[in-house]
Amino acid sequence: MMNSSRKIILEHDDGEFSSSNTSSSTLLDPEEFRRQGHMMVDFLADYFHNIQNYPVRSQVEPGYLKKILPDSAPYQPESIEEILEDVKRNIFPGLTHWQSPNFFAYFPCISSSAGILGEMLSVGLNVVGFSWITSPAATELENIVMDWLGKLINLPNTYLFSGGGGGVIQGTICEAMLCTIVAARDQMLEKIGRDNIGKLVVYSSDQTHSCFQKSIKISGIRLENFRAIPTTKATEFALCPKSLREAIQKDIKVGLVPLFLCATIGTTSTTTVDPLHPLCQIAKEYGIWVHVDAAYAGSACICPEFQHFLNGVENADSFSLNAHKWLFCTLDCCCLWVKDPNSLTKALSTTPEYLRNKASESQQVVDYKNWQITLSRRFRALKLWFVLRCHGVVNIKKFIRSHIKMAKNFEGLISMDERFEIVVPTNFSMVCFRVSPSALQKKFEFVDEVRVNEFNEKLLESINSSGVIHMTHTIVGGIYMIRFAIGAPLTHYSHITNAWDVIQNHANVML
Amino acid sequence: MMNSSRKIILEHDDGEFSSSNTSSSTLLDPEEFRRQGHMMVDFLADYFHNIQNYPVRSQVEPGYLKKILPDSAPYQPESIEEILEDVKRNIFPGLTHWQSPNFFAYFPCISSSAGILGEMLSVGLNVVGFSWITSPAATELENIVMDWLGKLINLPNTYLFSGGGGGVIQGTICEAMLCTIVAARDQMLEKIGRDNIGKLVVYSSDQTHSCFQKSIKISGIRLENFRAIPTTKATEFALCPKSLREAIQKDIKVGLVPLFLCATIGTTSTTTVDPLHPLCQIAKEYGIWVHVDAAYAGSACICPEFQHFLNGVENADSFSLNAHKWLFCTLDCCCLWVKDPNSLTKALSTTPEYLRNKASESQQVVDYKNWQITLSRRFRALKLWFVLRCHGVVNIKKFIRSHIKMAKNFEGLISMDERFEIVVPTNFSMVCFRVSPSALQKKFEFVDEVRVNEFNEKLLESINSSGVIHMTHTIVGGIYMIRFAIGAPLTHYSHITNAWDVIQNHANVML
């Protein structure tokens, strides 16, 4: 009995019941919202003006905020003015400024006015579109913009509502992967029996995003049956079709059941593109579900010059990209298309009495709750609609191409300094580079790969600690490389050249 | 070969590269954002002013939007003014207005100025707090407000960071359930062997939210091993401890392994409260993980008079509530607390090289990516912080109590009209009622339960079709009842009496 840990409060709350009707005691007064909303817009506009002045990567120590904030929630209301002051004073130092023009870390999560406005509208309306009837516009606009976007990246018609497939907006790729794995799993277990879940095998390269492994774990598929097929520099770290076939055949030989392949367009470490065409053909031979993860690079396929990367997707089963990465929607907005929506809804539907309604039973409508993990869902289609309309396809192409051009420029700068090298080809807007072994040989007596890696790690930490620019790293094929990912919404060419100056300066000190 | 379905576009895009530098070709111009942001705030404030004038439940037909919108995304940019006009003209008719004061359907998803402002700030900053280092403030503020809220509802210290447990903000209860099921599953399979996933059994009442069943399916646990234990009117549809024990013993006898119990504080159909204390004691005897789902009613426990419902939670393992339901945060904001964060992180951690960093390796920080399904996560703690501070605990209690008082008033109105009856006790702010069999006996020759149900179903559809107010239904114990859920942010006493008038008027016509 641990009841003692729960203090029973027997306070007299009379005073609370009779509390006077001040403005702060109203949940949503339109005029008070107007006043405060304008204040918040100005606060954000000012933030965007000043964003360059903050250290890009937060410089605080673990636990900094606990030392500043009170231990419990305030009993009396506080003004929005006070709270915004606290945001500046206490929250800002603890932010890593993802929208800073000097942010080159991870993959960017690129915001835009249009994306913010669309999300503001969604937040304000605050409708919950789990079934069609709970807000038909939320479902239907999502149907429409997902077809729009699918057409823009030249996805085969079979993925679109207009072609018998369909798209859904989820939060992140991890959800998209989990949903499709579960759909594939249940389809297969129906054939081979529920008891055989331990026999299912899933495949990807060793460069596939870690959320694939996580989705597998969550779905109850054995982690021992996850084949992260090794890649090599010879194939620029792409999944080799021959290796895939060998792995499949080996598994079949011992009585296992190949289920699922995740192929990637633009891996996280090096933006490698897996060869979809041959991979999907092999998968098709063995009845394997193919999911194509194009989280970052998928948006680039709006530009025709990148659409060849999708050759072969007509033989895959599902495809996803994060519109919050490179399509100017704010977090979160993961676009998932499937050829066979039934496979999703069969695995994910539940219809309790309290959600039954005529529209759903007529089967004339999409109920997105059956296309995803969660029941409740935000009206995310608004921001995608705003982004596509506010910018127009013409400008979206321009933005994407300008990011890619900046990456080329950055590559050009690197290539003029013989102390540095590009480690893998730049496919999109992210450049992987390092201080080269030869540069270190001039300075140090003994130089091996470990030493080179250590040096680059120290260089990166030195730069990030300065707070002037922020980049991250990866290690692939034993090589530690610095990732320079371009796309923050306020980044211009001058920020690229400045960043290069910063990198060179830090290297100058260390070399 | 379905290659023909992918039209290869070979356009000359020269014109696009040289497109002039108009304002619409900038992703995020601070002054343009300021201008548009103010416009959006005014748009929303006006919406809140006029929200009563729209039909609460959308009156459109399936497919209405496809007939209006173009087939593909616009090539040229469009102005925000045009888009907002389209929102009014084309989107508004397709909305079911969840924030309307006449919305009494489902459980409300109660917004507030404070919640909207907090989300606006989160959207504007657009940081991605998957690891501590990616924005320390996002993680630390979440740690702090989750402890604040845990204390407010008098959750035992063992659920708080300050007591060795901890809280995390996820999207919805379905995610919270899935995470805890997976944590419990992996803990158990480590003991009994991975091959035994087919032996795991999970329990709840037949009144538990359908997302529990969905989470079970996703996690790979056999649906045949889900015991939805029948409830009866005698226990007001609460899970009976004796039935639970019998079910467990029966399963053990045939070699199955009891794993998980989901108990509910405030079921969706009737806001029933399962008796936590005896249920948790039984679960403890058998080593079963108990998750307490208080999605809707958990927030009421901020008021001391409801905290007794949590007696026994000290013997559970995890607890969740949706702050987007009754704690005035906009969608989505699900608060999950666990006693043993290690059980979560053990099941959900992945640490690829590209996310490794010193802070994480020091183990001094929380990396929330390991506490949830997804990697990327929004800065949701801001809106909870805003809500708690802007209103203060004093006003939050007042809001909750005013909703409950309105429900009592509505009950009072019903009880004065003998044609109606309350079907189950009103525990919180939702009233389940119907036109009584005796009222129908006066009108119709032959009246049985089927007839009574049909009549109430028709009555509800007649009311909802009018668009004046919106309610939903449930069927429990064979009884069709109308659910009247109170809490929309602009609802006042006058809306309750008006709603009652509407209900009576429709009944007058039909009786």
Side-chain angles (χ1 to χ4, degrees):
Chain A
M1 295 290 291
M2 295 167 69
N3 227 331
S4 62
S5 67
R6 296 191 61 242
K7 172 171 48 110
I8 302 298
I9 300 171
L10 289 167
E11 48 177 281
H12 278 285
D13 275 325
D14 297 343
E16 294 169 14
F17 284 108
S18 58
S19 172
S20 66
N21 198 18
T22 61
S23 70
S24 64
S25 69
T26 305
L27 275 172
L28 182 52
D29 176 77
E31 289 314 310
E32 185 60 8
F33 167 74
R34 195 190 302 272
R35 187 184 75 81
Q36 295 179 338
H38 285 312
M39 207 183 296
M40 182 60 81
V41 166
D42 285 331
F43 185 89
L44 287 173
D46 294 345
Y47 170 68
F48 297 138
H49 267 301
N50 298 324
I51 195 167
Q52 308 208 38
N53 303 330
Y54 302 105
V56 192
R57 193 186 74 177
S58 171
Q59 309 283 308
V60 299
E61 292 295 316
Y64 89 101
L65 198 56
K66 206 173 165 6
K67 291 178 194 149
I68 305 171
L69 295 196
D71 275 348
S72 52
Y75 193 72
Q76 293 297 336
E78 298 177 304
S79 74
I80 190 78
E81 289 83 352
E82 275 175 275
I83 298 170
L84 287 179
E85 268 312 303
D86 275 0
V87 170
K88 265 195 224 164
R89 193 171 41 228
N90 300 328
I91 302 298
F92 275 13
L95 294 179
T96 291
H97 298 272
W98 284 66
Q99 306 311 313
S100 164
N102 299 314
F103 183 94
F104 304 103
Y106 310 101
F107 280 133
C109 183
I110 313 169
S111 180
S112 68
S113 284
I116 300 174
L117 293 170
E119 187 74 59
M120 274 173 68
L121 180 56
S122 163
V123 171
L125 300 177
N126 207 38
V127 300
V128 189
F130 48 79
S131 306
W132 178 86
I133 190 65
T134 65
S135 256
T139 296
E140 297 201 11
L141 188 65
E142 191 162 326
N143 297 166
I144 291 166
V145 293
M146 287 300 286
D147 266 16
W148 282 12
L149 184 54
K151 280 183 207 169
L152 277 182
I153 60 172
N154 207 21
L155 215 51
N157 196 39
T158 44
Y159 284 93
L160 310 184
F161 285 103
S162 55
V168 55
I169 303 181
Q170 305 190 341
T172 72
I173 294 285
C174 195
E175 289 167 65
M177 285 184 179
L178 180 54
C179 287
T180 50
I181 290 171
V182 168
R185 181 199 70 188
D186 284 2
Q187 232 172 26
M188 184 61 83
L189 291 182
E190 203 167 284
K191 280 189 225 158
I192 65 170
R194 276 268 149 202
D195 284 337
N196 290 311
I197 188 170
K199 288 188 184 164
L200 302 178
V201 193
V202 293
Y203 305 85
S204 76
S205 90
D206 59 2
Q207 296 303 305
T208 302
H209 195 281
S210 63
C211 69
F212 183 53
Q213 179 178 333
K214 188 164 174 172
S215 306
I216 295 164
K217 278 171 81 170
I218 293 171
S219 75
I221 291 172
R222 294 176 73 132
L223 214 50
E224 306 93 284
N225 290 355
F226 167 39
R227 312 280 172 254
I229 299 171
T231 56
T232 62
K233 204 161 190 302
T235 59
E236 287 166 12
F237 307 108
L239 177 53
C240 165
K242 194 166 154 276
S243 309
L244 173 67
R245 189 187 290 280
E246 284 167 5
I248 293 171
Q249 287 175 337
K250 207 171 143 192
D251 286 323
I252 290 175
K253 207 171 270 175
V254 295
L256 296 176
V257 179
L259 176 73
F260 198 94
L261 165 69
C262 181
T264 308
I265 309 289
T267 59
T268 307
S269 278
T270 59
T271 69
T272 293
V273 176
D274 286 336
L276 272 197
H277 194 73
L279 292 173
C280 290
Q281 278 195 318
I282 293 170
K284 211 179 173 186
E285 277 179 49
Y286 295 96
I288 293 172
W289 181 300
V290 183
H291 178 74
V292 179
D293 166 24
Y296 149 74
S299 303
C301 297
I302 292 176
C303 305
E305 63 270 31
F306 292 108
Q307 290 177 354
H308 65 93
F309 284 134
L310 299 187
N311 286 343
V313 75
E314 60 275 10
N315 285 325
D317 298 276
S318 48
F319 179 92
S320 58
L321 65 82
N322 277 339
H324 61 251
K325 279 203 166 65
W326 205 2
L327 199 52
F328 321 122
C329 290
T330 56
L331 191 66
D332 45 6
C333 193
C334 169
C335 300
L336 166 68
W337 290 266
V338 292
K339 273 188 188 169
D340 178 15
N342 277 336
S343 61
L344 271 191
T345 57
K346 224 172 154 184
L348 299 171
S349 292
T350 50
T351 306
E353 181 60 38
Y354 44 82
L355 299 182
R356 281 184 55 214
N357 66 85
K358 275 191 190 167
S360 298
E361 273 151 39
S362 76
Q363 304 203 321
Q364 286 185 294
V365 299
V366 168
D367 286 333
Y368 271 128
K369 72 181 174 59
N370 300 331
W371 291 54
Q372 59 177 28
I373 295 165
T374 64
L375 174 67
S376 291
R377 60 200 320 273
R378 283 148 50 232
F379 193 171
R380 293 187 186 104
L382 279 176
K383 61 182 166 186
L384 189 49
W385 192 49
F386 269 58
V387 163
L388 293 173
R389 293 187 66 184
C390 282
H391 299 307
V393 177
V394 59
N395 282 317
I396 288 172
K397 287 181 182 175
K398 216 181 69 179
F399 295 135
I400 289 170
R401 284 169 178 153
S402 78
H403 295 151
I404 288 164
K405 212 171 158 194
M406 283 192 245
K408 292 279 171 225
N409 283 20
F410 185 73
E411 272 200 321
L413 293 169
I414 289 176
S415 66
M416 287 187 294
D417 185 335
E418 58 180 13
R419 299 172 302 171
F420 289 85
E421 64 180 17
I422 311 286
V423 189
V424 290
T426 302
N427 289 321
F428 303 99
S429 63
M430 200 267 285
V431 181
C432 292
F433 71 99
R434 65 169 179 171
V435 171
S436 69
S438 60
L440 294 176
Q441 269 150 6
K442 282 178 195 153
K443 182 172 167 73
F444 301 108
E445 233 166 82
F446 172 75
V447 174
D448 61 1
E449 276 297 334
V450 175
R451 191 74 186 255
V452 179
N453 286 355
E454 276 173 9
F455 183 89
N456 278 286
E457 188 175 355
K458 272 183 198 153
L459 174 64
L460 179 61
E461 185 49 34
S462 155
I463 294 167
N464 281 337
S465 299
S466 76
V468 182
I469 64 169
H470 185 25
M471 304 176 291
T472 50
H473 81 287
T474 193
I475 299 178
V476 177
I479 300 169
Y480 184 103
M481 44 192 121
I482 300 175
R483 297 167 72 265
F484 188 81
I486 294 162
L490 296 160
T491 301
H492 295 294
Y493 287 93
S494 62
H495 297 102
I496 306 296
T497 49
N498 284 344
W500 178 236
D501 284 346
V502 172
I503 295 164
Q504 281 185 314
N505 289 342
H506 281 262
N508 290 345
V509 172
M510 287 175 61
L511 276 171
Chain B
M1 293 291 289
M2 295 167 68
N3 227 332
S4 62
S5 67
R6 296 192 60 243
K7 173 172 49 109
I8 300 299
I9 301 170
L10 288 166
E11 49 178 280
H12 277 286
D13 275 324
D14 296 344
E16 295 170 13
F17 283 109
S18 58
S19 172
S20 67
N21 198 19
T22 60
S23 71
S24 64
S25 70
T26 305
L27 275 172
L28 181 53
D29 177 75
E31 288 314 309
E32 185 60 8
F33 167 75
R34 195 190 302 271
R35 187 184 75 82
Q36 297 179 336
H38 285 311
M39 205 183 298
M40 182 60 81
V41 167
D42 285 330
F43 185 89
L44 287 174
D46 295 344
Y47 170 68
F48 298 137
H49 267 300
N50 298 323
I51 195 166
Q52 308 208 38
N53 304 330
Y54 302 105
V56 191
R57 193 186 74 177
S58 171
Q59 309 283 309
V60 299
E61 293 294 316
Y64 89 101
L65 198 56
K66 206 172 166 5
K67 291 178 195 149
I68 306 171
L69 295 197
D71 275 347
S72 51
Y75 193 73
Q76 293 298 336
E78 299 176 305
S79 74
I80 190 78
E81 287 84 351
E82 276 175 275
I83 298 170
L84 286 179
E85 268 310 305
D86 276 359
V87 170
K88 264 195 225 165
R89 192 170 41 229
N90 301 328
I91 302 299
F92 276 13
L95 293 179
T96 292
H97 298 271
W98 284 66
Q99 305 312 312
S100 163
N102 299 313
F103 183 94
F104 304 103
Y106 309 102
F107 279 134
C109 184
I110 313 169
S111 180
S112 67
S113 283
I116 300 173
L117 292 170
E119 187 73 59
M120 274 173 69
L121 180 57
S122 163
V123 171
L125 299 176
N126 208 37
V127 300
V128 190
F130 49 79
S131 306
W132 178 86
I133 189 67
T134 64
S135 256
T139 297
E140 297 200 8
L141 188 65
E142 191 162 325
N143 297 166
I144 291 167
V145 294
M146 287 300 286
D147 266 15
W148 283 12
L149 183 55
K151 278 183 208 169
L152 278 182
I153 59 172
N154 206 22
L155 214 51
N157 196 39
T158 44
Y159 284 94
L160 310 184
F161 285 103
S162 55
V168 55
I169 302 180
Q170 304 191 342
T172 71
I173 293 284
C174 195
E175 289 167 65
M177 285 184 180
L178 180 54
C179 287
T180 50
I181 290 171
V182 167
R185 181 199 70 188
D186 284 3
Q187 231 172 28
M188 183 60 83
L189 291 181
E190 204 167 281
K191 281 189 223 157
I192 65 170
R194 275 268 149 204
D195 284 336
N196 290 311
I197 187 169
K199 288 188 185 166
L200 301 179
V201 193
V202 293
Y203 305 86
S204 76
S205 90
D206 59 2
Q207 295 304 306
T208 303
H209 195 281
S210 63
C211 69
F212 183 54
Q213 178 177 334
K214 189 163 174 174
S215 305
I216 295 164
K217 278 170 82 170
I218 293 170
S219 75
I221 291 172
R222 295 176 72 134
L223 214 49
E224 306 94 283
N225 290 354
F226 167 39
R227 312 280 172 254
I229 298 171
T231 56
T232 62
K233 203 160 190 298
T235 59
E236 287 166 13
F237 306 107
L239 177 54
C240 164
K242 193 166 155 273
S243 309
L244 173 68
R245 188 187 291 277
E246 283 167 7
I248 293 171
Q249 287 176 337
K250 207 170 143 192
D251 287 323
I252 290 175
K253 208 171 266 176
V254 295
L256 296 176
V257 180
L259 176 73
F260 197 95
L261 166 67
C262 181
T264 308
I265 308 290
T267 59
T268 306
S269 278
T270 57
T271 68
T272 293
V273 177
D274 286 337
L276 272 197
H277 193 74
L279 292 174
C280 289
Q281 277 195 319
I282 294 170
K284 211 180 173 187
E285 277 178 50
Y286 294 96
I288 293 172
W289 181 301
V290 183
H291 178 74
V292 179
D293 166 22
Y296 149 73
S299 303
C301 297
I302 292 177
C303 304
E305 63 270 30
F306 292 107
Q307 291 176 354
H308 66 92
F309 284 133
L310 299 187
N311 286 343
V313 75
E314 60 276 8
N315 285 325
D317 298 276
S318 47
F319 180 92
S320 57
L321 65 83
N322 277 339
H324 60 252
K325 278 202 167 67
W326 204 2
L327 199 51
F328 321 122
C329 290
T330 56
L331 190 68
D332 45 5
C333 193
C334 168
C335 300
L336 165 69
W337 290 266
V338 291
K339 273 189 186 167
D340 178 15
N342 277 336
S343 61
L344 271 191
T345 57
K346 225 173 154 182
L348 299 171
S349 292
T350 50
T351 305
E353 181 61 37
Y354 45 81
L355 298 183
R356 280 185 54 214
N357 66 85
K358 273 190 192 169
S360 298
E361 274 153 39
S362 75
Q363 304 202 320
Q364 287 184 291
V365 298
V366 168
D367 286 334
Y368 271 127
K369 72 179 173 62
N370 300 331
W371 290 54
Q372 60 177 28
I373 295 165
T374 63
L375 174 67
S376 291
R377 61 201 319 274
R378 285 149 47 233
F379 193 171
R380 294 186 185 104
L382 278 176
K383 61 182 166 187
L384 189 48
W385 192 49
F386 270 59
V387 164
L388 294 173
R389 292 188 67 184
C390 282
H391 297 308
V393 177
V394 59
N395 281 318
I396 289 172
K397 286 181 182 175
K398 214 180 70 179
F399 295 134
I400 289 170
R401 284 170 179 154
S402 78
H403 296 150
I404 288 165
K405 211 171 158 194
M406 284 193 246
K408 293 279 171 225
N409 283 20
F410 185 73
E411 270 199 324
L413 294 170
I414 290 177
S415 66
M416 286 186 295
D417 185 335
E418 57 181 14
R419 298 172 302 170
F420 290 85
E421 63 180 16
I422 311 285
V423 189
V424 290
T426 302
N427 290 320
F428 303 99
S429 63
M430 200 266 286
V431 180
C432 293
F433 71 100
R434 66 169 178 170
V435 170
S436 68
S438 60
L440 295 176
Q441 270 150 5
K442 284 178 194 152
K443 183 174 169 74
F444 301 108
E445 232 165 84
F446 173 74
V447 175
D448 62 359
E449 276 298 332
V450 174
R451 192 74 186 256
V452 178
N453 286 355
E454 275 173 8
F455 184 89
N456 279 286
E457 188 175 357
K458 272 184 200 153
L459 173 64
L460 179 62
E461 185 49 34
S462 155
I463 295 167
N464 282 336
S465 298
S466 75
V468 183
I469 64 169
H470 185 25
M471 304 176 291
T472 50
H473 80 287
T474 192
I475 299 178
V476 178
I479 301 169
Y480 185 101
M481 45 192 119
I482 300 175
R483 296 167 72 265
F484 188 81
I486 294 162
L490 296 159
T491 301
H492 296 296
Y493 287 92
S494 62
H495 297 102
I496 305 298
T497 49
N498 284 343
W500 179 235
D501 284 346
V502 172
I503 294 164
Q504 281 185 314
N505 290 341
H506 281 263
N508 290 345
V509 171
M510 288 176 61
L511 275 171

